[in-house]
Amino acid sequence: MQAKLFIMKKTLFAVLLFTASALCAQDKAINVGLKVAPAFSWFGISHKYSESDGVKAKCNAGISVLYNFHENFSLVTGVNINSIGGKMKSTKDAEILKQAEKSKISYKATELELPLLIQARTDQYGSMRYFMKAGFGIGAVLQARDS
């Protein structure tokens, strides 16, 4: 199952990259970029028998397509693969939980996100330009597991 999901992700990535590059060859108003970013996630737990047990470092990646419809305004979309997760541990002893030791659980999830944003930028001031992005993203969990 995991091998099939991995092949589907690689195929989707290749199709999107090919489509975006074909669009760029047709029009200079379209820019395509790759995105790789670190992500740090954790759980804020409000249960009396559990507490957060640290931060998980992950990596997010995606393809971004920017369509310039005005000199200072652009429509931004693309596909992002986001990794999220966290660690949790119990705070009660083994007698109450009927377990051999305190339990520690690590959660992992992979999410597919399709963002839709408007990007605005200022005119150039000296050697600087300021950017602002606003919008939303639609996401779906591709895979989730605990250990």
Side-chain angles (χ1 to χ4, degrees), residues 51-82:
E51 66 183 23
S52 181
D53 190 30
V55 176
K56 289 191 82 110
K58 298 286 193 175
C59 183
N60 297 338
I63 297 173
S64 181
V65 179
L66 187 133
Y67 173 69
N68 299 310
F69 61 87
H70 184 270
E71 181 181 347
N72 290 332
F73 293 94
S74 304
L75 179 67
V76 182
T77 189
V79 176
N80 297 327
I81 303 291
N82 300 325

Side-chain angles (χ1 to χ4, degrees), residues 66 72-76 117-121 131-134:
L66 187 133
N72 290 332
F73 293 94
S74 304
L75 179 67
V76 182
L117 308 160
I118 295 289
Q119 176 179 294
R121 68 180 184 182
F131 291 83
M132 190 270 317
K133 287 183 182 178

Side-chain angles (χ1 to χ4, degrees), residues 5 9 58 81-84 108-112 140-145:
L5 184 62
K9 286 180 191 178
K58 298 286 193 175
I81 303 291
N82 300 325
S83 298
I84 53 178
K108 302 174 189 175
T110 304
E111 173 192 47
L112 176 72
V141 174
L142 297 176
Q143 180 180 8
R145 62 179 174 231

